[in-house]
Amino acid sequence: MIDLHQHTNCSDGLLSVQETIEIFVGNSGKTIAITDHDTFKSQLEAKSLCDKFGIEYVFGVELSTIYKNQSVHVLGYFPNYPSDSIVKYIEHQTIISAVKRIRSNASDWPIGHYPIEEIIRLIHSSNGIAILAHPVMYKLLLNDLISIIDGLECINPAQDVKFTEELIQICRDKNLYCTFGTDFHGNLGGDNSNYNALYTKYHYIIEPFISEIKIRAI
């Protein structure tokens, strides 16, 4: 099994990095990416644990961006640990958000929301690939976004099969990468309840993406 969209308690997940990866290994996982929101804190620990368990790790992050005044989540995937430019940029923006949160006395102040074009540029500067997370949330923006993104998260248990097939066809037509993931946050039996069936049916669509990540890592 391959899962390229998981969260830990380094952002808004319920479980630690180790607990998350141990569950994945217990489910016969093969390749995983931890994509915590707007932080790279989990990456080195996750890579070390995956090396220990003998599974493949893809460095990843889920970044909160703005496109046409709407919040859009972009998944960044990297063949190696991301460059200082994107890590420092995210850390700086997080500090700014924290200061604004304190000054406004608002506990729900958003952490990020960076311009999407800037985030995609930074992902590319780290030899990374920019993927639109859970496209089902951005149906009205999809035609615009596919012109600036590298690929779509085609498989997500939260969307219906018809839309999944539409996304796969878009990627074929536009020569975009397909990925898939559970968006797992630690609620066992929720995020990945029907994921094994989806993986069995659509596992072939992710092969070009995995191959490209491996080539870029050389």
Side-chain angles (χ1 to χ4, degrees), residues 21 30-35 42-44 46-47 50-51 55-60 78-79 213:
I21 291 177
K30 175 185 176 183
T31 305
I32 187 174
I34 300 297
T35 54
S42 57
Q43 296 305 297
L44 294 180
K47 177 63 167 65
C50 286
D51 289 346
I55 63 174
E56 294 179 329
Y57 186 71
V58 178
F59 292 99
F78 310 90
I213 285 290

Side-chain angles (χ1 to χ4, degrees), residues 13 27 33 116 155 164 172 206 208:
N27 288 327
I116 192 170
I155 310 298
T164 293
R172 287 172 175 162
I206 200 173

